[in-house]
Amino acid sequence: MGKFLLTFAILLQFCSYLAINVNAFAPSGWRKGHATFYGGSDASGTMGGACGYGNLYSTGYGTWTAALSTALFNDGASCGECYRIMCDFQTDPRWCIKGKSVTITATNFCPPNYALPNNNGGWCNPPLQHFDMAQPAWEKIGIYRGGIVPVLFQRVPCKKHGGVRFTINGRNYFELVMISNVAGAGSIQSVSIKGSKTGWMAMSRNWGANWQSNAYLNGQSLSFKITNTDGQTRFFTDIAPANWGFGQTFSSSVQF
């Protein structure tokens, strides 16, 4: 009987492993675009940004980031997504570094410049698929003097250290929660919040990676339910204790 139970437990664990990996986010096909760089050699000029991640060093994104053009940014819904980018050496052997690729996280928006043509300064104008990369990341695939290079890119699963993090800002009756360090698909489709004295309440995207609730949740422990853009859902139970305060960040042990 004991051997049967052990075999059953191992089989169940194996099936769970298969289920997790079958549903895991898979890389997309390769597409063509272009890439420029910004932010300086230390990427200090990339801090903040339209996704709201703030200090990219302290939030774990570092210098491997990029601002996305309108065609890719999707009004902030693409925040947190990861892309593998390589310079298209066959198209531009002068400025491309052959055989090198880099994986970046989308942390910012590259706005269009309709005063300039798409092929001469209006790099982020629709419908162009363009990455304005942090300079240290860009220099892994391109030669500095080139300025802009053709690239091949694919969306890939994000790999992050630790669990999903929640930074709570706002005021009474307005919780503005910035959700960061999301692995897997990287981007978020929907979020719900629950106080220890309430049921689940849907949150709405305020901007970038910031989600809002208009409930009074002071003095309650907070739980979250997140569904990513790959359709996977995770529960983050009692992530913030009852004595949480605005401006605090809470790390979970749960990840996609």
Side-chain angles (χ1 to χ4, degrees):
M1 184 65 178
K3 288 185 178 179
F4 172 77
L5 290 175
L6 179 60
T7 303
F8 180 75
I10 293 173
L11 180 61
L12 185 63
Q13 185 176 21
F14 179 70
C15 289
S16 298
Y17 173 82
L18 284 179
I20 289 171
N21 282 274
V22 165
N23 293 325
F25 180 79
S28 71
W30 289 95
R31 291 181 282 171
K32 291 187 175 184
H34 285 82
T36 48
F37 61 86
Y38 79 117
S41 59
D42 61 354
S44 58
T46 66
M47 300 299 110
C51 289
Y53 293 127
N55 187 317
L56 300 178
Y57 298 143
S58 61
T59 50
Y61 296 102
T63 60
W64 307 103
T65 64
L68 307 187
S69 64
T70 302
L72 294 170
F73 190 66
N74 195 21
D75 291 327
S78 297
C79 287
E81 291 181 352
C82 295
Y83 294 86
R84 183 185 179 201
I85 303 174
M86 65 170 58
C87 203
D88 188 351
F89 185 82
Q90 288 188 339
T91 301
D92 192 352
R94 182 182 182 188
W95 302 120
C96 286
I97 298 175
K98 187 177 183 179
K100 298 292 185 179
S101 68
V102 63
T103 299
I104 58 87
T105 302
T107 59
N108 203 353
F109 173 54
C110 181
N113 184 349
Y114 297 113
L116 296 175
N118 291 9
N119 62 353
N120 188 19
W123 313 124
C124 290
N125 294 348
L128 300 181
Q129 298 185 110
H130 188 91
F131 297 87
D132 199 15
M133 301 169 63
Q135 185 176 330
W138 190 92
E139 288 192 282
K140 293 293 182 181
I141 62 170
I143 298 171
Y144 179 85
R145 285 189 300 155
I148 179 171
V149 292
V151 296
L152 301 171
F153 70 93
Q154 64 173 169
R155 190 174 159 204
V156 295
C158 296
K159 298 178 181 180
K160 302 298 180 186
H161 297 290
V164 176
R165 292 194 286 265
F166 301 81
T167 300
I168 305 174
N169 292 304
R171 59 183 185 277
N172 294 347
Y173 293 99
F174 178 67
E175 295 80 27
L176 187 65
V177 183
M178 191 272 285
I179 302 172
S180 61
N181 203 53
V182 180
S187 50
I188 296 173
Q189 177 178 297
S190 64
V191 181
S192 294
I193 189 171
K194 181 183 180 299
S196 51
K197 300 176 182 178
T198 75
W200 287 105
M201 298 173 287
M203 303 183 75
S204 59
R205 189 189 303 275
N206 185 289
W207 63 281
N210 289 275
W211 294 77
Q212 75 174 64
S213 165
N214 296 109
Y216 184 79
L217 297 172
N218 298 43
Q220 301 180 53
S221 60
L222 303 181
S223 301
F224 296 90
K225 178 174 69 173
I226 297 177
T227 300
N228 68 11
T229 51
D230 199 35
Q232 293 184 312
T233 299
R234 296 287 186 273
F235 289 86
F236 304 81
T237 305
D238 296 329
I239 290 301
N243 63 347
W244 63 269
F246 293 109
Q248 289 184 301
T249 296
F250 300 93
S251 299
S252 74
S253 60
V254 180
Q255 190 54 275
F256 286 91

